[in-house]
Amino acid sequence: QVQLQQWGAGLLKPSETLSLTCAVYGGSFSDYYWSWIRQPPGKGLEWIGEINHSGSTNYNPSLKSRVTISVDTSKNQFSLKLSSVTAADTAVYYCARASIVVVPAAIKYYFDYWGQGTLVTVSS
Amino acid sequence: SSELTQDPAVSVALGQTVRITCQGDSLRSYYASWYQQKPGQAPVLVIYGKDNRPSGIPDRFSGSSSGNTASLTITGAQAEDEADYYCNSRDSSGNHKVVFGGGTKLTVL
């Protein structure tokens, strides 16, 4: 049974740095990409970025200048830092496991396990 | 383009069949995956790949694709299927960006 458990500060002031960590329990840590996804209140899902066990990262170009995702394979954890937050960064932040499977017709890419979500509010 | 386009809202009568669609260039290279999200909950994967359902997802959920369009079909919609549905894939332009559709609010009448 795979479980993702996330934690971090829920209330920030503008210009501060958002910091969240996600711990993975069960399953392999090295066979997947590990993502952060956010959802502003009442809006859709936005992918922030991902990391694999070796530390290779991909970021959403719209957030790349402010985002750092890191991994601690000794603890099966990965973390998100988002700098210089503003009210526009207020959202529920999710961690998720991404599977990538190449088959002849196309590529499967999907998030099969998600964390419980953390509401991060940015307010002065 | 790295965008995925979904209709904002769809309704279906209880017990009837509904199709939710997702369009985007990346779907010519990547299968769409589909997520159900109910208020206050994390998204749940319901369809991935050509037409794969994770364990525990009812078989009334199915997926299909043609060209740049993917579809999620619910055959015999139930009241508990009322939710937001999001499609997702990876951008196919080589920048490794992951994209979500804007979401479809499904109302079961």
Side-chain angles (χ1 to χ4, degrees), chain A residues 37 39 43-45 47 50 58 60-61 94 100 103 105-112 114-115, chain B residues 29-31 33 35 37 41-43 45 48-50 52 86 88-90 96-98 100 102:
Chain A
I37 296 157
Q39 185 172 37
K43 296 188 178 181
L45 300 167
W47 177 75
E50 64 185 3
N58 296 304
N60 188 325
Y94 296 101
I100 305 173
V103 295
I107 302 170
K108 304 179 186 181
Y109 183 93
Y110 54 96
F111 298 107
D112 52 359
W114 295 66
Chain B
S29 302
Y30 285 85
Y31 287 113
S33 54
Y35 306 86
Q37 187 181 34
Q41 298 182 17
L45 178 69
Y48 66 99
K50 186 176 181 180
N52 303 119
Y86 294 91
N88 151 250
S89 80
R90 205 182 191 96
H96 302 289
K97 181 181 176 181
V98 175
F100 286 94

Side-chain angles (χ1 to χ4, degrees), chain A residues 45-73:
Chain A
L45 300 167
E46 179 182 32
W47 177 75
I48 299 169
E50 64 185 3
I51 193 167
N52 67 6
H53 71 286
S54 63
S56 177
T57 54
N58 296 304
Y59 296 131
N60 188 325
S62 68
L63 297 169
K64 187 174 183 177
S65 64
R66 298 193 292 130
V67 173
T68 301
I69 297 177
S70 59
V71 66
D72 185 342
T73 55

Side-chain angles (χ1 to χ4, degrees), chain A residues 77-98:
Chain A
Q77 294 177 0
F78 61 108
S79 298
L80 168 70
K81 290 190 185 299
L82 179 66
S83 64
S84 305
V85 298
T86 69
D89 295 310
T90 294
V92 176
Y93 287 74
Y94 296 101
C95 57
R97 187 180 88 170

Side-chain angles (χ1 to χ4, degrees), chain B residues 7 11-12 22 30 35 65 79 93-94 99 108:
Chain B
D7 291 330
S11 62
V12 61
C22 175
Y30 285 85
Y35 306 86
S65 66
S93 65
V99 291
V108 180

